[in-house]
Every structure is written in structure tokens, then in C-alpha cells.
Amino acid sequence: MAAKKPAAKKPAAKKPAAKKPAAAKKPAAAKKPVAKKPAAKKPAAKKPAAAKKPAVKRKPNAAFMKPVTPSAVLAAVIGATPSPRTEITKKIWDYIKKNKLQDAVNRRNINADDKLKAVFGGKKTVSMFEMTKLVSAHLK
């Protein structure tokens, strides 16, 4: 049978060294300033310029650009023609700004009129973040 090894002992924690009394300071003029030589500058190695691609307009995500059909309730606000989600959001904001439905104090809130109240599920005031969630329920 193998004999059990004793557990390894941890080294004792070191105590901080006692501080020595500060020696009398010598005047700073006693030391001679050492002049440092500037580092020799090497000419930067030029890298061959990478061929730049011509500026291409960014392609939008196809899922956002797919036309969706608004429900009858939402169609009363923005029209019945199928449009991409981005355009529907723009049309709702145009309606909100045209009818001055954005809250004057808290600009993040939208005060719904009768048409928008039907879209917002009967809520009188909706935050702009909640608005997109409520509108998506009216899209097919």
C-alpha cells in the first residue's frame, strides 16, 4: 500500500517591510541631466495599396422589403395597398406628425386619436417602442 503524502504547506504570507525614515533630500541641481538621444527614425515601409471596391449602395434585407397587407383597421390610417414594413412605419409617423399626436411633454409617447386607438388595441397613450409591436399584429 502506498503511504499517504502529507498535505503541501502553503508558504507564510509575507509581512510588509518596515518603512525606513526618509533620508535628507539632496538639492536637485546636484544631479547632472542626461541628454537623451532621439531615436533614429526609420522610413516607414510602404504597403501596397489594397484595391478599393467601388462604392456599392447597401442592399436592404429582403424580409423588410417584402410587401405586407395591412388589416382593415390599419388601412384606415395608412391606406390598403400592400407596402414593406419600413414604409408602413413611415406612413404611421407621417399620420402622427400631421395630426400632432406625439405627446408634447414626453416625446416618446403617442396620444392616439380614434383611428389609432383601434390600431393600438384601445390604448389612449402608447410609447413609440410599443407602437411597432402593436402595429405588427395588424400586418399579414
Side-chain angles (χ1 to χ4, degrees):
M1 287 173 102
K4 289 186 179 179
K5 292 184 181 178
K9 291 185 181 178
K10 292 183 181 176
K14 293 182 181 179
K15 293 181 183 177
K19 291 186 178 180
K20 296 177 184 175
K25 290 187 177 179
K26 295 179 184 177
K31 290 187 178 181
K32 291 183 182 177
V34 178
K36 290 187 177 180
K37 293 180 184 176
K41 291 185 179 179
K42 295 179 184 176
K46 291 185 179 180
K47 295 180 183 176
K52 286 192 175 182
K53 295 179 184 176
V56 179
K57 193 171 182 182
R58 208 177 118 216
K59 273 191 170 182
N61 188 340
F64 284 120
M65 300 316 291
K66 179 183 165 198
V68 289
T69 309
S71 68
V73 178
L74 184 58
V77 178
I78 62 165
T81 57
S83 308
R85 288 177 186 273
T86 53
E87 290 300 316
I88 289 174
T89 305
K90 285 179 188 176
K91 288 177 184 176
I92 291 171
W93 271 108
D94 290 341
Y95 180 84
I96 289 167
K97 288 176 181 174
K98 184 179 86 176
N99 295 311
K100 296 181 179 150
L101 298 174
Q102 198 170 3
D103 192 60
V105 179
N106 188 352
R107 307 280 294 164
R108 280 183 274 179
N109 287 345
I110 295 138
N111 299 322
D113 62 353
D114 294 332
K115 287 182 180 179
L116 276 181
K117 197 182 270 193
V119 174
F120 295 160
K123 293 185 177 182
K124 180 81 177 136
T125 304
V126 172
S127 75
M128 60 175 66
F129 306 109
E130 191 180 3
M131 177 190 77
T132 54
K133 180 177 84 173
L134 295 169
V135 168
S136 67
H138 292 278
L139 301 174
K140 297 173 194 151

